[in-house]
């Protein structure tokens, strides 16, 4: 059997690959904060999120003995045909739900969805399990309230980077509670699924400060609620994994795809050539193609009867 990485590449026009390679050649590689002081400085320097029209509805939901702020978008052109639970990225220690407002407003209108984005608590002020607790509460609220609130109980979940990790841990928690059945799909972009440093994939990011900030107090980070790659992964909804071939988390995503498939789940892996971590947030045609693919995938699972 011949197995090559390029056999997993998403179908992208050659000119988009060339454009992306030129873009990344001229762009300095990014690096996250490596100390608490750097994190505070990075937070202070972040620009304000872009405003949307109409803006998000800000609300605090209550579920699982928790009160969690969320941002809600509903489509302009009629009632929602499904609900998407968005979990933002940022290494568990940066950003907010508002950072995704532009994307979520576009998603709501283009797919006729309600989009609920979770403002989970950030590390290191609120380390694990604060973030997954908040995400689980938002998901349980939707399971109970979506039909009454939005007129539909068809749910999907997704996120990028740390948000993808939290989306998967949320699904595992719901599966264990028997509450995952309304979720028709999970769209996960370049998540980190092994924070333990015990596998080759995990050792690639072992020295990153975000791990220390989020789960440095936990002696064994193979706990599936931290590193979901170690979990029992059966009984999950169809999953789309999106990652770039130049992402430090590529091996982690390949391993997760294999584990999800071996556990009997419907999983689709799309690897985008020459693309680093976070590439769907960059101003390239390849990023737009990848996001359009995510939209189409979600549309098939949320809005078609």
């Amino acid at each position: 059997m011949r197995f090559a990485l390029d056999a997993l590449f998403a179908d992208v026009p050659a000119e988009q690959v060339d454009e992306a390679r030129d873009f990344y050649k001229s762009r300095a590689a990014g690096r996250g904060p490596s100390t608490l002081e750097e994190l505070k400085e990075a937070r202070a320097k972040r620009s304000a999120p872009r405003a949307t029209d109409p803006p998000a509805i800000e609300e605090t939901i209550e579920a699982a003995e928790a009160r969690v702020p969320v941002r809600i978008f509903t489509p302009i052109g009629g009632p929602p045909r499904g609900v998407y639970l968005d979990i933002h990225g940022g290494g568990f220690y940066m950003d907010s739900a508002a950072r995704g407002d532009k994307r979520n407003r576009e998603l709501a209108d283009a797919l006729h969805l309600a989009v609920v984005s979770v403002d989970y608590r950030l590390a290191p002020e609120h380390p694990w399990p604060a973030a997954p607790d908040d995400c689980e509460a938002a998901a349980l609220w939707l399971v109970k309230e979506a039909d009454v609130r939005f007129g539909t109980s068809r749910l999907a979940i997704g996120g990028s980077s740390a948000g993808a990790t939290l989306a998967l841990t949320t699904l595992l928690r719901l599966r264990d509670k028997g509450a995952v059945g309304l979720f028709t799909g999970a769209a996960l972009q370049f998540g980190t699924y092994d924070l333990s440093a015990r596998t080759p994939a995990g050792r690639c990011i072992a020295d990153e400060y975000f791990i220390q900030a989020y789960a440095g107090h936990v002696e064994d980070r193979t706990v599936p609620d931290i590193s979901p790659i170690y979990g029992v992964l059966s009984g999950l909804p169809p999953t789309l994994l999106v990652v770039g071939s130049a992402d430090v988390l590529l091996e982690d995503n390949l391993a997760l795809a294999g584990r999800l498939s071996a556990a009997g789940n419907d999983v689709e892996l799309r690897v985008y050539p020459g693309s680093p971590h976070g590439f769907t947030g960059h101003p390239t045609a390849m990023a737009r193609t990848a996001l359009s693919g995510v939209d189409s995938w979600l549309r098939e699972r949320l809005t078609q009867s």
Side-chain angles (χ1 to χ4, degrees):
M1 181 181 74
R2 180 177 178 274
F3 184 81
L5 179 60
D6 58 7
L8 301 174
F9 283 173
D11 186 13
V12 180
E15 58 269 23
Q16 291 189 12
V17 178
D18 293 339
E19 181 217 27
R21 285 174 176 158
D22 290 342
F23 174 77
Y24 292 118
K25 282 179 184 178
S26 64
R27 178 180 182 271
R31 184 185 68 85
S34 58
T35 65
L36 178 59
E37 291 70 26
E38 287 186 9
L39 173 62
K40 290 179 178 179
E41 184 178 354
R43 286 175 175 173
K45 287 182 177 179
R46 292 290 270 174
S47 60
R50 294 176 61 178
T52 62
D53 184 23
I57 299 168
E58 299 180 54
E59 191 168 320
T60 298
I61 61 92
E62 297 188 25
E65 300 181 353
R67 302 181 77 251
V68 181
V70 297
R71 300 176 71 82
I72 300 173
F73 293 90
T74 54
I76 295 174
R81 299 169 62 188
V83 185
Y84 177 68
L85 179 62
D86 173 64
I87 305 179
H88 72 81
F92 307 100
Y93 63 3
M94 281 188 70
D95 283 338
S96 65
R99 185 68 56 182
D101 277 5
K102 181 177 182 294
R103 163 72 175 160
N104 289 333
R105 165 47 64 198
E106 292 171 350
L107 196 64
D109 293 338
L111 272 64
H112 300 287
L113 302 177
V115 180
V116 178
S117 188
V118 189
D119 240 337
Y120 58 85
R121 288 168 290 172
L122 299 178
E125 295 87 348
H126 303 282
W128 177 87
D133 284 351
D134 291 350
C135 295
E136 178 192 11
L140 289 172
W141 176 77
L142 279 180
V143 167
K144 181 180 179 182
E145 302 291 341
D147 197 21
V148 172
R149 177 67 181 268
F150 302 111
T152 175
S153 57
R154 300 191 72 169
L155 309 178
I157 191 172
S160 58
S161 196
T165 313
L166 292 168
L168 183 54
T169 58
T170 297
L171 288 174
L172 293 176
R173 287 183 176 207
L174 265 58
R175 189 270 322 270
D176 292 346
K177 286 180 166 64
V180 80
L182 295 181
F183 283 84
T184 63
L188 309 181
Q189 299 180 43
F190 36 82
T192 174
Y193 306 110
D194 178 16
L195 277 68
S196 75
R198 294 193 181 185
T199 68
R203 285 193 286 275
C204 289
I205 57 170
D207 296 330
E208 293 285 345
Y209 171 66
F210 79 85
I211 297 178
Q212 184 64 31
Y214 177 60
H217 61 295
V218 182
E219 183 176 353
D220 181 5
R221 295 195 298 273
T222 63
V223 174
D225 203 53
I226 297 173
S227 298
I229 193 79
Y230 290 98
V232 176
L233 299 180
S234 58
L236 297 176
T239 301
L240 172 65
L241 300 177
V242 171
V243 68
S245 68
D247 195 327
V248 68
L249 299 177
L250 172 63
E251 188 174 347
D252 205 354
N253 281 254
L254 294 174
L256 180 66
R259 288 224 58 220
L260 285 169
S261 180
N265 300 290
D266 175 357
V267 57
E268 182 175 350
L269 172 68
R270 298 178 185 174
V271 180
Y272 287 82
S275 298
H277 190 69
F279 80 97
T280 55
H282 300 156
T284 65
M286 187 179 296
R288 292 190 293 273
T289 294
L291 289 176
S292 177
V294 172
D295 292 355
S296 296
W297 190 89
L298 285 171
R299 182 182 290 110
E300 291 177 1
R301 281 146 191 86
L302 271 176
T303 67
Q304 295 183 4
S305 31

